[in-house]
Amino acid sequence: MAKILLTGGAGYIGSHTYLALIDAGFEVVIFDNFSNAKPDVPARLQDIAGDRVHVVEGDVLNRTDLDAAFAAHQIDGVVHFAAKKAVGESVEKPLDYMHTNVGGLLNVLAAMEAGGCRRIVFSSSATVYGDTDVQPIPEDHPRTYTSPYAFTKIAGEQILEQLTDDWAVGILRYFNPVGAHRSAMIGEDPEDIPNNLVPYIAKVATGDLAKLSVFGDDYDTPDGTGVRDYIHVEDLANGHVLSLKRLIDTGESHTVNLGTGEGSSVLDVVRAYGAACGDDIAYAIAPRRDGDVAVLTARPDKAKAELGFEATRTLADMCRSSWAWVSGQRRNDK
Ligand code: UD1
C-alpha cells in the first residue's frame, strides 16, 4: 500500500486526514514541527487507529528535516498542509507568510524531487477567489488576492502549475472546514481567542467567552448575516483520500473545490450549535469585519465528477461533533 507523508499532519485538518487515510488502507507518516498542534495528537491518533503512528518532527523550512523524512521512508505521495492560515496575522506579517507558505512549499517540492516522489496534494483555499458576486463559485473563476495569506495560496497554486508533466498535483480549495472527529478525541483547538466562527461559538457554549459578536446583519443575504459553505472536517479529509487515489491511479492533476454547495448564515450556525449543545448561544450584532464578503459558497460538481467526492454531513452533524469534542475536552481539563 502506498505510503503518504503529511506535512502539518498533527494539525486540525492533517490529523483528520491521517485517520481517513489509515481507514482507506494507506500507510502514513506525519511530519510536523508542532508549532500549531498539541504534542499529544500522535498519541490520540494511536488510540483511535490502534496502530503505531509514525512521526518525523521537523520543519518545512528546514531542508535537512525533509530529507531525513524521505531517507527514513519510501514516500509515494505528499499532502502538504503545513502553513500559516490567519488572514489578519498575514496583513501584520506578510514576509512571514511568504517565507513559510511559499518558501515551505518550494522546500517540500525540492525534497520530493530529490526523494523521487512526484505526487502532491496541496491545501488551497476558497480565499483564492477574492470577493466575487459569482455564487456558487466554479473552479475556473479568476483568482485574485485580498490578503498576503490569499496571495501565498495563489502563488502556491501557480508554482504547482509550472511543474513538468511527470508531476501529479491535486489542488484542493477548502471552503469553511468545521466540526471534529466522531471519536471526539481530536478536533480544532485554538490556543488564543478564536478568529473563526465555530471555534468562537464553541467557547461561548462552554462559558469561556460571554457572547458572540455577529459581524454585520446588513449584508444582502436572507437574514442579513454572512453566508458560508461549512464542510465537516471528516468530509474534507475524505476529499484528500480521493485526490491521492486519483493521482496514484491515473496520474491526472486536478484543481477542485471542497465544499457542500450549501450556504449557511451566521445565525443558522448559531441556532444549529444551540440545538447541539442544548443551550442558546448568546450573541450581539456588531459592525462588519474588514475584508469579509457577504456570501462564499462552492460549486461542488467538479470534485464530484473528477474525484467522486460528495460531502454527506449536515450543519447539525458539524455542530454536534464540535460540541462532543469541546465538551469532552473540558471535562478532561477539570
Ligand atoms: C476565514 C478566512 C479564510 C480562511 C478561513 C478558514 C477571513 C477573511 N477569511 O474565512 O481565508 O480560509 O477562515 O480558516 O478571515 N463571524 C462572526 N463572528 C465571529 C467570527 C466570524 O460573525 O466572531 C462570521 C464572519 O463574518 C463570516 C462567518 O462568520 O460571515 C465565517 O467566518 P470565519 O469562520 O472567520 O471564516 P471566513 O471568514 O469565511
Side-chain angles (χ1 to χ4, degrees), residues 228-311:
R228 296 290 182 275
D229 187 334
Y230 297 94
I231 176 170
H232 195 298
V233 65
E234 284 207 65
D235 279 331
L236 191 79
N238 281 332
H240 296 75
V241 175
L242 295 170
S243 175
L244 275 168
K245 281 188 175 162
R246 174 106 179 146
L247 298 181
I248 291 167
D249 293 347
T250 69
E252 279 172 37
S253 295
H254 46 267
T255 297
V256 297
N257 289 336
L258 292 183
T260 64
E262 301 280 326
S264 304
S265 73
V266 176
L267 294 181
D268 289 335
V269 180
V270 165
R271 275 189 296 271
Y273 211 100
C277 73
D279 207 351
D280 285 347
I281 301 297
Y283 69 88
I285 306 297
R288 291 181 179 193
R289 178 172 69 178
D290 266 0
D292 272 355
V293 299
V295 181
L296 199 59
T297 56
R299 248 182 78 172
D301 27 319
K302 190 164 182 263
K304 185 169 182 196
E306 293 186 9
L307 304 183
F309 173 79
E310 216 166 353

Side-chain angles (χ1 to χ4, degrees), residues 87 125 149 176 195-197 213-215 228 230 289 292:
V87 176
S125 165
Y149 164 70
N176 287 61
N195 293 312
N196 295 119
L197 180 64
S213 294
V214 174
F215 296 143
R228 296 290 182 275
Y230 297 94
R289 178 172 69 178
D292 272 355

Side-chain angles (χ1 to χ4, degrees), residues 32 51 252 291 300 319 328:
D32 208 301
D51 280 335
E252 279 172 37
C319 294

Side-chain angles (χ1 to χ4, degrees), residues 20-41:
L21 284 167
I22 295 288
D23 265 354
F26 287 89
E27 288 183 63
V28 190
V29 179
I30 289 175
F31 181 93
D32 208 301
N33 67 356
F34 294 89
S35 62
N36 192 25
K38 296 268 157 69
D40 66 349
V41 169

Side-chain angles (χ1 to χ4, degrees), residues 68-87:
F70 281 93
H73 300 276
Q74 181 64 47
I75 301 296
D76 301 294
V78 172
V79 186
H80 180 48
F81 297 103
K84 291 176 174 277
K85 62 166 188 175
V87 176

